[in-house]
Amino acid sequence: MIRLKCIICLFIFIICFKSYSQTIKGTVYSEDNKPLTASILFKEYSNLQSVKDFAIVRNGIFQKKLKQDYEKLFIEVKAEGYYKQTLTIDKPKKEKSYSFDFVLIKMQEYELEEVVVVGKKRRFEVKEDTISFNVSRYVDGSERKIEEVISKLPGVELNEQTGEIKYKGKSIETVTLDGDNLFGFNYTLGTKNINVDMVEQIEAIDNYAENPLLKGIEQGGKVSLNLKLKKGKVDVSGNLDFGSGWFDDGDQAFNLSSNILGITKTYKSFATLSYNNVGVNQTPFDYFGFSFNVEQQKEQNYFAEKIVPETRFSNLLEDRRANINNQFFGNYNAIFKLNPKLSVKTNLYYLQDRISTNQLFQNDFKINNDFFTTTDNTFITKKPQQYRGDVEVKYNTSKTSLLEYNLRLRQENIETPTTVIQNQTDEFSSFLNTEDFYFKQDLLWTKKLSDKKALQVSLFHSFNDLPQTFSITPSLFDEDALMDTQDSEFKRTFLEGKATYLGSGKRDKYTFTLGANLNYSPFLSRLYNSEEIISENNFDYTQNNIFNTGVYNFNRGKWQISPSYSLRVLNQNLEQNLQNNEQSQNDFIIEPALNLKYKLNSVSFLSGNLGYNQNTNAEQFFFLNQVLINNRTTISNLPSLELQISQRYSLLYFNNDLYNQFQLNANVNYQKSTGNFFTNQNITATTTQIEYFFLPQDNSSWNINMQVSKYIPFIESTLKLTSNYILSNFRNIVNNSDLRQNENQFLSNSFFWKTAFEIPVNFENTFSYRYSNSKSENQLAFINKSWQNTFKIILKPNRKWFVILSSDYYLPNTKQSDEQFFFLDATLRHRPKSKKWGASFTMRNITNENNFEQVQTSDISTTIFRSNLLPRYFLLNLSWNF
């Protein structure tokens, strides 16, 4: 393992610190002595068709270290509206610096008769901090929503489960619509629902700043995407899609949706309305796998804890195969510019769904030389319903000040009736009702003190109330009782006020914050039946922070050095009201961090960061007595207010060479935490009792990932290799054992190949391999290997007709080759020349696979998970654009 880490680190080191040849620098001006923005291409004179390197000239100045040797260097300087200029250097000397001053001559303008030239647009355009990708150059005809195009852009990563988008390795702030932030962090509303035909360009923006008063002042590095709409998409435009067909069992299948975009000078809106029962999730919310979206990840510190979980397993398959749903979703987003100083944004949501699944869990345990198997055959119906409204008001009180107010109200109800057949003999019926009320408001005032300094003052308040009721029949605790009922209710109130001072110099930027916050989280629970009260909990947890944070960004040539710190005075108080017991702890916390970035050239950089943190523990570890969470499991805790100390280190190499269509990023992360809540599990064939307790012991993890992509011209194909390796070490106690040291390893590799032939037939293939190894000291390892292959044939006999044939093959366990799954899908699409309407015929799961099986390993067991799937169905879809 150590050898593998050394090889990977040496590989990254060699890539990033290879020697350079020559340095070319100078200026580019016009005849009237104005600095120009231009591009400089570097070529080998003997092969002028191939660009070996390039540089972007900003404000008339450039400097470039060439990566390759040249026998005869050919330099070509281009600027829009000017004649290009070239020069050559015979046998340029290594390590020598060359300086040139280019003066470009402006092209003369002539009035000509109209000439129409039809040709391909360039794939992308670079202008300062923005790269504009022309959508038409990244589509093959299979894409319907803009999310599918975004996932193909170089340097962009899309998490299909959460909808999160990353650009240059960083999570984007938002996706704007012609520059307006209509969706906020819930940008999947736009990416999942806006049709490809409505968008002309996708702009990737570096150093994004939503607040115009902070442009050039706040810390850079934020990234975002902007959807640039096609000309003519004004006033009212949109689309209607009507899809209907039948499932294999005779039930009718539907996939209906409509989107409306409204644009005027003072108003912009996007609305969507959809209904489907074919496994499609048109919303930003995941009620199938319960993965947090980007917005929820950013706000989870304000959420109350959900003690009884809504789900027990994540499915490896795409939602469209396993999500047996009945979803209705409506959403309206609008920005009203009431006058030059005042604007109002509203976001309204309504969601209703019914998700049904049959899941079989088989656990093969090996604990302290004891072998046994448990099974749970579960029939689950989940019925979520959500109402939500957001309001944002922005008022420019003057040219140098801005007042912003945000308000959100959300009510979510989830009903989950479940039937469980345990160990093939005992049948239980349960019902979980979860209500989730969330209220959030914040006020932010920004004052621009000068061109290089600004002050922000903010007030924030949130409240979350999350009651749950879980009932199960027959009783698990008393044969004479009809049922057991578990009531629980977590609440959280969060208040914060802070002031932030921002400044910038010629090269440096800095930010300092002073503030205080309060977190109040009470919890009540009661486990009872008709015969007795089995368990109760009642605690109040209060946390107060007075904090000061700062970050200073030094820019020195190609180096960006950003030290930061956080100082906190922390007070925690935990009252166990039933036991008349109180714990209190005060801490003074110092948390330093350092980020380093070195720009290797115009297309690549190396960055590293390290940090030290001291964190409080989650409130879910503070109740003393048992809480019932399913037909088998109860949980309890030995509360502690001790802090968890964590260290993190990471190294990233990123290369995004658009001109040569080459991307490479490699990332190594290491994290170590001291002081954790560990588990003491007591597992039998019918019950699982888990007690969490705090120990000042270490857990650690390594995460190494790499992705390399290249377009190969002579085979007209894009190849992409992705690899991810995770090694984690942790401790636990199982069935009265000693404290055990455990190790989990996970390796995932995938190879992607897509052709771009100038013929009607193209191909796409993705092969994936997964390996997991879970081992406890002095015990045998639990090992599983699986692989998957997805193959597509894309046929375009002409511009009006389009065909996709795709297959998915899964082998969940290479040792059990008889358990394999094969899926086949087909789509036929017709699009007339007018593009106003279209039709398609789709068949899913043609092989009619009824269920899917996958294997997961842990330090104590191998788990075989089987779930039912959407049956074979066909769908005829008609679409109309207006």
Side-chain angles (χ1 to χ4, degrees):
M1 181 59 214
I2 295 175
R3 183 179 298 173
L4 173 63
K5 297 172 190 172
C6 293
I7 292 172
I8 293 174
C9 292
L10 180 61
F11 171 71
I12 297 174
F13 183 88
I14 292 171
I15 289 177
C16 300
F17 290 93
K18 61 184 180 180
S19 62
Y20 291 89
S21 297
Q22 305 83 21
T23 298
I24 310 293
K25 61 183 179 180
T27 62
V28 180
Y29 277 73
S30 64
E31 291 178 290
D32 52 358
N33 205 33
K34 291 182 179 179
L36 298 178
T37 297
S39 60
I40 302 180
L41 307 181
F42 301 94
K43 308 176 183 180
E44 178 61 56
Y45 190 80
S46 60
N47 184 13
L48 296 180
Q49 301 302 315
S50 176
V51 177
K52 298 184 71 174
D53 215 332
F54 74 97
I56 302 299
V57 181
R58 294 186 174 90
N59 298 320
I61 301 172
F62 71 92
Q63 180 171 322
K64 177 70 176 179
K65 284 187 177 180
L66 302 183
K67 296 184 291 184
Q68 303 181 41
D69 294 333
Y70 293 83
E71 187 67 25
K72 186 176 183 179
L73 176 60
F74 181 85
I75 302 175
E76 183 178 313
V77 184
K78 294 180 177 181
E80 187 176 355
Y82 293 82
Y83 292 108
K84 68 181 180 181
Q85 192 173 131
T86 64
L87 65 82
T88 59
I89 304 175
D90 287 320
K91 297 181 179 180
K93 296 180 180 180
K94 293 184 178 180
E95 306 301 333
K96 183 177 179 180
S97 179
Y98 295 85
S99 181
F100 301 100
D101 296 319
F102 295 98
V103 178
L104 302 188
I105 300 173
K106 193 169 185 178
M107 293 179 178
Q108 295 183 359
E109 297 181 357
Y110 299 94
E111 186 173 346
L112 301 175
E113 294 182 4
E114 182 180 3
V115 177
V116 178
V117 179
V118 179
K120 285 187 176 181
K121 292 183 178 180
R122 287 183 291 179
R123 296 179 69 85
F124 62 89
E125 301 167 13
V126 180
K127 186 176 181 181
E128 296 182 350
D129 290 333
T130 302
I131 299 177
S132 301
F133 298 97
N134 288 307
V135 170
S136 61
R137 295 301 309 276
Y138 291 90
V139 297
D140 58 24
S142 63
E143 306 85 1
R144 298 190 66 246
K145 302 301 180 182
I146 199 63
E147 179 182 67
E148 300 169 66
V149 181
I150 291 173
S151 66
K152 297 181 178 182
L153 301 180
V156 176
E157 303 170 61
L158 172 67
N159 185 321
E160 295 183 0
Q161 194 68 32
T162 64
E164 180 185 14
I165 300 171
K166 289 185 176 181
Y167 175 59
K168 292 186 176 181
K170 294 182 288 189
S171 183
I172 67 169
E173 294 294 308
T174 189
V175 176
T176 54
L177 203 60
D178 270 345
D180 288 317
N181 188 4
L182 198 59
F183 309 114
F185 291 122
N186 258 350
Y187 51 75
T188 52
L189 281 169
T191 57
K192 284 186 175 184
N193 293 288
I194 293 178
N195 276 16
V196 172
D197 295 336
M198 302 179 73
V199 181
E200 180 78 19
Q201 290 183 328
I202 301 171
E203 296 178 330
I205 303 170
D206 263 325
N207 298 314
Y208 170 76
E210 182 182 359
N211 190 331
L213 296 179
L214 301 182
K215 185 72 173 177
I217 299 177
E218 69 175 340
Q219 297 284 336
K222 293 181 180 179
V223 293
S224 73
L225 298 183
N226 178 54
L227 305 182
K228 196 171 181 180
L229 301 174
K230 289 183 177 179
K231 294 179 180 179
K233 297 295 181 183
V234 294
D235 297 332
V236 177
S237 59
N239 64 279
L240 294 171
D241 287 284
F242 179 87
S244 182
W246 278 269
F247 290 104
D248 191 64
D249 57 9
D251 291 340
Q252 194 163 3
F254 288 103
N255 189 7
L256 318 174
S257 66
S258 63
N259 301 312
I260 299 178
L261 178 68
I263 299 177
T264 68
K265 291 182 179 180
T266 59
Y267 168 80
K268 182 175 290 183
S269 70
F270 178 79
T272 183
L273 191 66
S274 65
Y275 168 79
N276 83 91
N277 60 354
V278 291
V280 178
N281 183 16
Q282 305 278 25
T283 81
F285 314 106
D286 180 14
Y287 288 105
F288 180 65
F290 280 86
S291 298
F292 271 6
N293 61 31
V294 178
E295 181 187 74
Q296 291 167 330
Q297 291 174 26
K298 290 182 178 294
E299 296 186 359
Q300 60 182 323
N301 288 336
Y302 312 132
F303 296 160
E305 301 286 348
K306 186 177 289 187
I307 298 300
V308 183
E310 297 284 353
T311 185
R312 295 174 59 182
F313 210 91
S314 60
N315 202 310
L316 189 64
L317 283 176
E318 299 173 281
D319 286 2
R320 65 185 179 91
R321 298 204 186 278
N323 182 18
I324 304 174
N325 69 339
N326 206 303
Q327 183 188 91
F328 176 81
F329 178 61
N331 169 251
Y332 173 74
N333 313 273
I335 295 178
F336 303 88
K337 297 179 180 178
L338 303 180
N339 59 52
K341 292 185 176 182
L342 179 63
S343 67
V344 178
K345 181 173 75 173
T346 60
N347 305 91
L348 304 176
Y349 305 76
Y350 175 74
L351 184 150
Q352 181 177 309
D353 205 346
R354 180 188 176 94
I355 301 171
S356 303
T357 181
N358 172 211
Q359 300 178 344
L360 174 66
F361 302 87
Q362 178 180 315
N363 293 282
D364 297 322
F365 289 99
K366 181 184 179 184
I367 304 173
N368 305 332
N369 297 318
D370 186 16
F371 296 84
F372 61 94
T373 297
T374 67
T375 62
D376 283 321
N377 192 8
T378 64
F379 301 84
I380 304 170
T381 302
K382 196 181 306 294
K383 295 182 283 187
Q385 188 176 43
Q386 182 183 152
Y387 306 85
R388 172 174 155 178
D390 300 351
V391 176
E392 177 188 81
V393 180
K394 290 186 177 182
Y395 180 63
N396 287 95
T397 54
S398 69
K399 291 183 179 180
T400 59
S401 62
L402 174 65
L403 190 63
E404 302 172 70
Y405 176 72
N406 288 275
L407 172 70
R408 177 181 306 160
L409 284 170
R410 185 195 71 209
Q411 179 65 50
E412 177 187 87
N413 305 312
I414 305 176
E415 295 180 348
T416 310
T418 303
T419 299
V420 183
I421 300 175
Q422 179 177 288
N423 297 338
Q424 303 179 4
T425 57
D426 301 321
E427 182 174 329
F428 296 92
S429 295
S430 66
F431 186 87
L432 173 62
N433 183 66
T434 302
E435 298 181 9
D436 188 346
F437 173 76
Y438 181 62
F439 170 76
K440 179 180 79 80
Q441 59 178 337
D442 63 271
L443 182 68
L444 174 64
W445 178 67
T446 304
K447 175 64 176 179
K448 189 172 183 179
L449 305 174
S450 68
D451 289 341
K452 296 182 179 181
K453 293 180 176 60
L455 176 68
Q456 287 190 307
V457 178
S458 67
L459 297 173
F460 179 90
H461 167 239
S462 69
F463 173 72
N464 191 196
D465 185 14
L466 208 159
Q468 291 184 286
T469 299
F470 175 71
S471 58
I472 185 167
T473 304
S475 170
L476 300 173
F477 300 93
D478 194 320
E479 294 181 356
D480 296 327
L482 177 63
M483 72 169 63
D484 298 320
T485 300
Q486 175 68 71
D487 293 332
S488 70
E489 183 174 15
F490 244 123
K491 296 180 181 180
R492 176 173 292 183
T493 300
F494 191 88
L495 295 168
E496 182 175 82
K498 63 182 180 181
T500 302
Y501 180 73
L502 306 96
S504 64
K506 291 182 178 179
R507 295 182 294 180
D508 304 336
K509 294 183 179 180
Y510 49 87
T511 303
F512 297 98
T513 299
L514 180 65
N517 59 45
L518 165 69
N519 171 17
Y520 173 60
S521 298
F523 175 70
L524 293 170
S525 76
R526 188 177 185 228
L527 175 59
Y528 62 94
N529 55 41
S530 58
E531 301 295 323
E532 61 179 331
I533 296 176
I534 303 165
S535 172
E536 287 185 287
N537 288 284
N538 183 347
F539 74 74
D540 293 319
Y541 173 70
T542 305
Q543 180 188 128
N544 297 287
N545 279 285
I546 300 174
F547 60 88
N548 168 233
T549 64
V551 57
Y552 202 101
N553 192 342
F554 297 91
N555 291 285
R556 297 294 182 270
K558 293 189 174 184
W559 283 97
Q560 185 180 93
I561 306 171
S562 302
S564 61
Y565 71 88
S566 172
L567 304 176
R568 284 193 291 155
V569 177
L570 169 66
N571 170 260
Q572 297 181 84
N573 188 74
L574 177 62
E575 295 182 29
Q576 300 286 354
N577 297 318
L578 297 178
Q579 292 78 20
N580 293 319
N581 181 33
E582 182 174 355
Q583 299 180 55
S584 185
Q585 181 166 314
N586 297 304
D587 295 281
F588 178 70
I589 298 173
I590 303 175
E591 298 173 309
L594 177 65
N595 293 316
L596 301 171
K597 182 177 180 181
Y598 180 72
K599 187 176 181 181
L600 298 168
N601 51 52
S602 58
V603 299
S604 65
F605 64 84
L606 180 69
S607 71
N609 70 74
L610 53 92
Y612 174 87
N613 295 93
Q614 299 182 62
N615 304 309
T616 57
N617 295 296
E619 289 90 332
Q620 68 189 52
F621 296 119
F622 291 161
F623 59 84
L624 276 167
N625 300 316
Q626 63 182 344
V627 171
L628 180 68
I629 63 172
N630 58 47
N631 62 294
R632 289 181 177 273
T633 308
T634 60
I635 58 175
S636 60
N637 304 281
L638 296 177
S640 173
L641 297 179
E642 294 296 322
L643 300 179
Q644 180 190 82
I645 299 172
S646 64
Q647 306 169 50
R648 67 182 190 279
Y649 308 90
S650 70
L651 180 67
L652 168 68
Y653 171 74
F654 187 88
N655 186 317
N656 188 24
D657 190 344
L658 296 175
Y659 287 95
N660 292 299
Q661 300 187 62
F662 173 76
Q663 290 83 42
L664 169 64
N665 66 76
N667 192 16
V668 180
N669 291 281
Y670 173 74
Q671 184 162 328
K672 178 183 177 182
S673 60
T674 303
N676 297 274
F677 271 90
F678 297 89
T679 61
N680 182 3
Q681 304 179 67
N682 188 0
I683 302 173
T684 70
T686 57
T687 64
T688 299
Q689 296 175 332
I690 303 175
E691 182 182 61
Y692 294 93
F693 62 98
F694 186 90
L695 282 180
Q697 300 287 330
D698 295 340
N699 286 342
S700 64
S701 66
W702 282 91
N703 190 335
I704 304 170
N705 56 72
M706 182 183 73
Q707 184 179 94
V708 58
S709 175
K710 172 65 178 170
Y711 177 75
I712 312 295
F714 75 90
I715 58 172
E716 299 182 81
S717 300
T718 297
L719 308 181
K720 181 166 67 176
L721 175 65
T722 304
S723 183
N724 184 34
Y725 175 76
I726 300 173
L727 172 65
S728 58
N729 294 282
F730 64 98
R731 293 176 170 87
N732 64 8
I733 296 174
V734 181
N735 287 8
N736 300 315
S737 69
D738 294 329
L739 189 64
R740 312 185 322 161
Q741 177 68 47
N742 308 293
E743 179 182 276
N744 283 345
Q745 297 184 63
F746 177 76
L747 174 66
S748 174
N749 293 317
S750 69
F751 180 70
F752 172 84
W753 185 332
K754 182 176 182 180
T755 64
F757 302 141
E758 294 291 337
I759 59 175
V761 182
N762 276 285
F763 307 94
E764 182 179 311
N765 194 84
T766 304
F767 175 80
S768 301
Y769 170 80
R770 292 179 175 87
Y771 168 83
S772 61
N773 183 322
S774 300
K775 187 179 185 304
S776 181
E777 57 184 350
N778 303 320
Q779 299 286 329
L780 294 176
F782 293 91
I783 299 174
N784 187 68
K785 303 173 185 177
S786 64
W787 62 273
Q788 164 189 350
N789 194 79
T790 301
F791 178 69
K792 291 183 181 180
I793 301 176
I794 303 168
L795 304 171
K796 290 195 289 186
N798 55 51
R799 293 184 178 182
K800 296 182 180 180
W801 291 96
F802 179 85
V803 180
I804 297 181
L805 301 174
S806 65
S807 66
D808 291 316
Y809 176 80
Y810 296 86
L811 185 61
N813 188 344
T814 56
K815 292 183 178 180
Q816 298 178 5
S817 58
D818 55 323
E819 291 290 342
Q820 48 190 316
F821 303 90
F822 180 74
F823 300 92
L824 187 63
D825 305 318
T827 299
L828 171 66
R829 189 174 298 159
H830 176 65
R831 193 71 180 272
K833 190 175 181 179
S834 67
K835 294 187 178 181
K836 284 290 185 181
W837 66 274
S840 65
F841 179 76
T842 300
M843 295 188 69
R844 298 285 190 196
N845 194 9
I846 296 173
T847 54
N848 203 27
E849 292 280 5
N850 295 316
N851 58 68
F852 178 74
E853 186 176 287
Q854 65 192 73
V855 180
Q856 285 192 351
T857 62
S858 71
D859 59 296
I860 57 175
S861 69
T862 297
T863 299
I864 300 174
F865 167 72
R866 177 176 293 173
S867 65
N868 64 331
L869 304 175
L870 279 161
R872 174 172 52 212
Y873 70 89
F874 73 86
L875 206 65
L876 178 63
N877 188 84
L878 300 175
S879 60
W880 177 53
N881 297 329
F882 58 89

